[in-house]
Amino acid sequence: MVLEGKVVVAQGGGPTAVINQSLVGAVLESRKFPQITKVYGAVNGVSGIINEDFLDLTQETTHNLEQVAITPSSALFSTRDKPDNAYCKEIFNVFKAHNVRYFFYIGGNDSADTVRIVNEQAEASGYEFRAIHIPKTIDNDLMMNDHTPGYPSAARFVAQSFIGLNLDNRALPGVHIGVVMGRHAGFLTAASAIAQKYPDDGPHLIYLPERNFVVDKFLRDVKNVYDKYGRCIIAVSEGIQDENGVPIVTKLVKNNETDAHGNTQLSGTGALGDLLSQLIRTNLGIHRVRSDTLGYLQRSFMGCVSGVDQHEAREVGEKAAQFAIWHNIDGSITIHRTGYYSVDYTMTDLHNVAGKTKLMPDEFINADGNNVTDAFKYYLQPLLGSDMPEASMLRAPRAEKILHKL
Amino acid sequence: MVLEGKVVVAQGGGPTAVINQSLVGAVLESRKFPQITKVYGAVNGVSGIINEDFLDLTQETTHNLEQVAITPSSALFSTRDKPDNAYCKEIFNVFKAHNVRYFFYIGGNDSADTVRIVNEQAEASGYEFRAIHIPKTIDNDLMMNDHTPGYPSAARFVAQSFIGLNLDNRALPGVHIGVVMGRHAGFLTAASAIAQKYPDDGPHLIYLPERNFVVDKFLRDVKNVYDKYGRCIIAVSEGIQDENGVPIVTKLVKNNETDAHGNTQLSGTGALGDLLSQLIRTNLGIHRVRSDTLGYLQRSFMGCVSGVDQHEAREVGEKAAQFAIWHNIDGSITIHRTGYYSVDYTMTDLHNVAGKTKLMPDEFINADGNNVTDAFKYYLQPLLGSDMPEASMLRAPRAEKILHKL
């Protein structure tokens, strides 16, 4: 029995390259139902809801929605607000005032928690209401999902970046550090391993938040690689921490900025890369050391996207509307891998996803804790999409020397 | 009259996305001539020559050469060595020993100087020899050229980056600084302006090395933009300097690394971005300030290339072989714009290019010195290639508020 009323769609947390596919999927599917009187998009996520900042997406052209669908970054803008119970009550009051019966929130595990709270408040009030969490994150850290929309495209960007950095490092050797987003989960940093095509390709070392970062071991690892190859490429998560859980970057950054979730600013600064570069110069006496912090391009670069990711992000958006409006249930949409490579979509209870973080499983990390396994590459490969570019190298034989024989 | 003997091709300086197109163009064209006994590729540029580190590219498959042609970064690797007269003498000795009659060196204005010196030494010895400089640089700073191979692809990467950073900044507003390569010339940083599609799009401010960077003015500019839009995106060259010619970044970096040319390390560090971010936080009280240093991805990212750049890089490689072998002349290949958009290729004397730097002309920079003009965008647009991606935004109308009326 389809509830008569409005749909509200919102986007929360960090944007991704395909988050608008989910938005457009949810909007177009919702607009099919005559019982849905309006489809609103909340501007700036939940903060837009409490301010009644709504765009009437019922009046947006289908054509422009499709143009927006292929544009990266949240078209409805976003927020880092983390609603507590009082905040959610205000959300709920606005929903009641506007006769909103369906709420689709595209976000990560924090967003799932918001959906859970609002849903509980609606139940407690006896207000007929369906709320769905639509998965989204470049970190790939939502429980219950094989992977999450946003991750494959960001992983592709990271992979293409390290293919390039490896080539550049061959041409002008030295030590090169690439810092990748990833506060707790190392899936995105691990994607750099796709660059390992030839046996001596980098990244030669990959450091993830799932393993304690020990400076002495790090330096020994780098020295070993550099002595062997005359160069070294390192991929490192911005969230690497020591055995006490202290982020390595906080040892250097004096002006710690925190967000509403109490997190230290890890992104948008070159601090970690510069710190590690300095450690290498000082302790190993290697002169040419460079670092690149891949930064916000990982989630926003215009023109690097996985086709698989586009399709799946679109599906979860439409599925949300279908589960809520056809089947009258709440929950979080999940993606399951059914074959190599095929997927299916189901729903799970919000509390299975809300506030929980999935980490890289042990079988994806090598025993030495400084690289990833073939099992990981096998897992990631089909997510990258078709036409992944590859590097080629010359194979011509060496010519004979003349002068040095004399 | 075609000299009988070998060809040596080498790549010098910073790699680009299309430098192998020039290599392959020169190699394939050279291989056509029966008088050319061998085509050698020097490994690691001029340092490879003096060590007789040659690959026999006469024995490389045409197919693999084409695969390498579309791979970014120097397939023959590179060097930052700056040969003096003694070094060039050694180069020349190796050439004589191997009966090398043609030398094609793909590089920037420093490389052109090397070609000039070796050429003069050959003349002085009475050794029949043709040396051609093939243009290459992401900085677009070679004299006599409308633009140089390597620049359009790097410009495209910068443009696509800022399209993305602008979208991300709309979604989660604040101040965002993007640091772009460019020691003396601002062409690459200026390319960020392609992201200015909608009237309030960033980058709102663009700072180039061609204009003195004044901290007070910078802060005033940022404040003006932030007060107007609630956000601000800034593109800044790594080489910005104060009125005394001191690079802004040296005010912060304690461990100044210099290369063989006496240049301070400007790349591979987040120092400048972090310095500017701190200035803004401290002086303007703006909390959310991020910086991204685009870094080495600008010249190496696998999968972002301009088709125009690919074609032109290929042409200058083949033209070098043609000018030298068919027409028996020395010099530097130059690209000239003949229409909108068409080009032609000629030769110029090496001393017109060697060691000289072209800067952004005044008509490309706005009067206030903090943005670029339409004339620049008109200049760059056809170089980016086809299928440049574009961002789209929602146009749906605002819905009526209910609660706030009460």
Side-chain angles (χ1 to χ4, degrees):
Chain A
M1 151 96 185
V2 180
L3 303 170
E4 176 150 335
K6 297 190 181 70
V7 161
V8 165
V9 191
Q11 297 168 316
T16 78
V18 296
I19 193 174
N20 294 327
Q21 285 286 2
S22 300
L23 165 67
V24 171
V27 170
L28 289 179
E29 185 66 9
S30 299
R31 293 191 333 186
K32 278 168 40 179
F33 295 89
Q35 302 90 333
I36 300 302
T37 53
K38 290 276 186 188
V39 178
Y40 281 177
V43 179
N44 285 113
V46 288
S47 69
I49 297 173
I50 60 177
N51 290 324
E52 295 179 282
D53 284 324
F54 295 123
L55 297 183
D56 185 1
L57 297 178
T58 336
Q59 299 191 51
E60 180 61 88
T61 62
T62 306
H63 167 262
N64 197 42
L65 284 173
E66 292 296 1
Q67 294 302 106
V68 166
I70 58 175
T71 300
S73 199
S74 312
L76 288 175
F77 310 150
S78 193
T79 180
R80 290 260 180 224
D81 282 0
K82 182 175 164 62
D84 55 12
N85 282 352
Y87 196 127
C88 288
K89 196 87 175 58
E90 281 195 62
I91 292 175
F92 181 51
N93 286 342
V94 169
F95 282 168
K96 272 199 300 187
H98 285 269
N99 194 34
V100 173
R101 298 292 176 172
Y102 300 98
F103 175 39
F104 306 137
Y105 196 23
I106 308 162
N109 49 18
D110 292 329
S111 308
D113 212 28
T114 299
V115 174
R116 180 186 63 75
I117 298 172
V118 174
N119 222 25
E120 285 168 3
Q121 291 178 339
E123 266 196 68
S125 298
Y127 180 75
E128 278 294 331
F129 178 76
R130 297 279 79 80
I132 308 274
H133 169 250
I134 300 173
K136 175 266 350 166
T137 173
I138 64 170
D139 293 319
N140 203 37
D141 64 352
L142 292 186
M143 297 293 286
M144 313 296 296
N145 287 267
D146 177 83
H147 58 277
T148 51
Y151 171 66
S153 295
R156 186 167 167 141
F157 182 87
V158 171
Q160 292 182 203
S161 294
F162 275 85
I163 292 173
L165 293 180
N166 178 57
L167 291 169
D168 199 289
N169 186 255
R170 279 187 186 277
L172 289 167
V175 178
H176 202 111
I177 301 164
V179 182
V180 183
M181 278 179 165
R183 188 173 291 270
H184 302 294
F187 291 98
L188 195 52
T189 306
S192 60
I194 295 296
Q196 296 162 354
K197 173 182 172 179
Y198 296 97
D200 58 342
D201 271 338
H204 307 94
L205 300 165
I206 302 176
Y207 297 97
L208 311 171
E210 288 88 346
R211 295 290 180 267
N212 295 336
F213 187 86
V214 181
V215 172
D216 287 346
K217 170 122 189 3
F218 169 71
L219 292 169
R220 276 200 311 275
D221 288 346
V222 174
K223 185 180 191 322
N224 284 344
V225 172
Y226 193 82
D227 286 347
K228 183 174 180 183
Y229 295 124
R231 67 191 190 97
C232 181
I233 295 187
I234 306 157
V236 63
S237 293
E238 61 188 10
I240 50 168
Q241 47 198 316
D242 65 18
E243 58 278 7
N244 299 316
V246 177
I248 301 297
V249 74
T250 58
K251 288 174 154 66
L252 182 76
V253 175
K254 292 173 283 294
N255 212 39
N256 278 4
E257 193 190 311
T258 59
D259 63 16
H261 301 262
N263 296 315
T264 306
Q265 179 197 344
L266 296 181
S267 301
T269 159
L272 178 61
D274 289 344
L275 162 67
L276 295 175
S277 298
Q278 195 50 30
L279 281 175
I280 293 170
R281 281 192 201 99
T282 309
N283 289 282
L284 300 182
I286 298 171
H287 183 66
R288 189 167 191 275
V289 187
R290 300 281 184 276
S291 77
D292 274 303
T293 302
L294 271 51
Y296 287 84
L297 297 182
Q298 291 165 86
R299 69 184 193 197
S300 67
F301 186 78
M302 183 84 211
C304 179
V305 70
S306 154
V308 170
D309 205 9
Q310 298 254 43
H311 287 297
E312 296 181 354
R314 185 62 164 253
E315 276 289 316
V316 295
E318 288 202 36
K319 296 300 285 185
Q322 289 190 342
F323 276 123
I325 304 174
W326 279 123
H327 302 284
N328 204 29
I329 49 180
D330 306 296
S332 179
I333 311 284
T334 54
I335 301 177
H336 301 268
R337 188 179 302 215
T338 51
Y340 197 82
Y341 173 73
S342 59
V343 295
D344 211 353
Y345 306 88
T346 59
M347 287 269 275
T348 193
D349 282 348
L350 288 161
H351 66 262
N352 288 333
V353 173
K356 297 188 164 100
T357 302
K358 186 175 79 176
L359 303 179
M360 285 269 281
D362 289 341
E363 68 259 25
F364 283 175
I365 307 174
N366 69 345
D368 213 10
N370 58 14
N371 218 312
V372 299
T373 59
D374 285 350
F376 171 77
K377 294 192 206 180
Y378 187 74
Y379 159 81
L380 174 60
Q381 195 69 49
L383 305 183
L384 298 172
S386 61
D387 65 285
M388 257 300 283
E390 269 188 31
S392 297
M393 301 211 318
L394 292 170
R395 287 198 187 87
R398 287 281 172 143
E400 255 191 63
K401 300 190 182 196
I402 297 173
L403 295 176
H404 295 184
K405 285 189 191 168
L406 302 174
Chain B
M1 150 97 187
V2 180
L3 304 169
E4 176 149 338
K6 296 189 182 71
V7 162
V8 165
V9 192
Q11 296 167 318
T16 77
V18 297
I19 193 174
N20 294 328
Q21 287 286 2
S22 300
L23 165 67
V24 171
V27 169
L28 289 179
E29 186 66 10
S30 298
R31 293 194 331 188
K32 278 168 40 178
F33 297 88
Q35 302 90 332
I36 301 303
T37 54
K38 290 278 187 187
V39 178
Y40 281 177
V43 178
N44 284 113
V46 289
S47 70
I49 297 173
I50 60 178
N51 290 324
E52 296 181 279
D53 283 324
F54 295 123
L55 297 182
D56 185 0
L57 296 179
T58 336
Q59 299 192 51
E60 180 61 88
T61 62
T62 306
H63 167 260
N64 198 42
L65 283 173
E66 293 294 1
Q67 294 302 107
V68 165
I70 58 174
T71 300
S73 198
S74 313
L76 288 174
F77 310 149
S78 194
T79 181
R80 290 259 181 226
D81 281 1
K82 182 173 164 62
D84 54 13
N85 282 352
Y87 196 126
C88 288
K89 196 87 175 61
E90 282 196 63
I91 292 175
F92 180 51
N93 286 342
V94 170
F95 282 167
K96 272 199 302 187
H98 285 267
N99 194 36
V100 173
R101 298 292 177 171
Y102 298 98
F103 174 41
F104 305 138
Y105 196 24
I106 308 162
N109 46 20
D110 294 329
S111 309
D113 213 26
T114 299
V115 173
R116 180 185 63 74
I117 298 173
V118 174
N119 222 24
E120 284 167 4
Q121 291 178 343
E123 266 196 68
S125 298
Y127 180 76
E128 279 294 331
F129 179 77
R130 295 281 79 80
I132 308 274
H133 168 250
I134 300 173
K136 175 267 348 170
T137 175
I138 64 170
D139 292 320
N140 203 37
D141 63 353
L142 293 186
M143 297 293 286
M144 312 296 297
N145 286 268
D146 176 83
H147 58 277
T148 51
Y151 170 66
S153 295
R156 186 168 168 143
F157 181 87
V158 171
Q160 292 183 202
S161 294
F162 275 86
I163 292 174
L165 293 180
N166 178 57
L167 291 168
D168 198 287
N169 186 253
R170 278 187 186 276
L172 289 166
V175 178
H176 202 113
I177 301 164
V179 182
V180 183
M181 277 181 168
R183 188 174 291 272
H184 301 296
F187 291 97
L188 194 53
T189 306
S192 60
I194 295 296
Q196 297 162 352
K197 173 183 173 179
Y198 296 98
D200 59 341
D201 271 338
H204 307 95
L205 299 164
I206 302 176
Y207 296 98
L208 312 171
E210 287 88 347
R211 295 289 179 267
N212 294 335
F213 186 86
V214 181
V215 172
D216 287 347
K217 169 126 191 357
F218 168 71
L219 291 170
R220 277 201 309 276
D221 287 347
V222 174
K223 187 183 190 320
N224 284 343
V225 172
Y226 193 82
D227 287 348
K228 183 173 180 183
Y229 295 124
R231 66 189 191 98
C232 180
I233 296 187
I234 306 158
V236 61
S237 292
E238 61 187 12
I240 49 167
Q241 48 199 315
D242 65 17
E243 57 278 8
N244 300 314
V246 177
I248 302 298
V249 74
T250 58
K251 287 176 154 65
L252 183 77
V253 175
K254 293 175 281 297
N255 211 40
N256 278 6
E257 193 192 313
T258 60
D259 63 17
H261 300 263
N263 296 314
T264 305
Q265 179 197 343
L266 296 182
S267 300
T269 161
L272 178 60
D274 289 344
L275 162 67
L276 295 174
S277 298
Q278 195 50 31
L279 281 175
I280 293 170
R281 279 192 203 98
T282 309
N283 290 280
L284 300 182
I286 297 170
H287 183 67
R288 190 167 192 275
V289 187
R290 302 281 184 276
S291 77
D292 273 303
T293 302
L294 270 52
Y296 287 84
L297 298 182
Q298 291 165 85
R299 70 185 193 196
S300 66
F301 186 78
M302 182 86 211
C304 179
V305 69
S306 155
V308 171
D309 205 8
Q310 298 254 45
H311 288 296
E312 294 180 357
R314 185 61 164 252
E315 276 289 315
V316 295
E318 287 201 38
K319 297 300 285 182
Q322 290 190 340
F323 277 123
I325 304 174
W326 279 123
H327 301 284
N328 204 30
I329 49 180
D330 308 295
S332 179
I333 311 284
T334 54
I335 301 177
H336 300 270
R337 188 178 302 216
T338 50
Y340 198 81
Y341 173 74
S342 57
V343 295
D344 209 353
Y345 306 88
T346 59
M347 287 268 277
T348 193
D349 283 346
L350 287 161
H351 67 261
N352 287 334
V353 174
K356 295 188 163 99
T357 301
K358 187 175 79 175
L359 304 179
M360 284 269 281
D362 288 342
E363 68 260 25
F364 283 176
I365 307 173
N366 70 343
D368 213 9
N370 58 14
N371 218 313
V372 298
T373 58
D374 285 350
F376 171 77
K377 295 191 204 182
Y378 186 74
Y379 159 81
L380 174 60
Q381 194 68 48
L383 305 182
L384 298 172
S386 62
D387 64 284
M388 258 300 283
E390 272 189 28
S392 297
M393 304 213 313
L394 292 170
R395 287 200 186 86
R398 287 281 171 142
E400 256 191 63
K401 299 191 185 201
I402 296 174
L403 295 176
H404 294 187
K405 284 190 190 165
L406 304 175

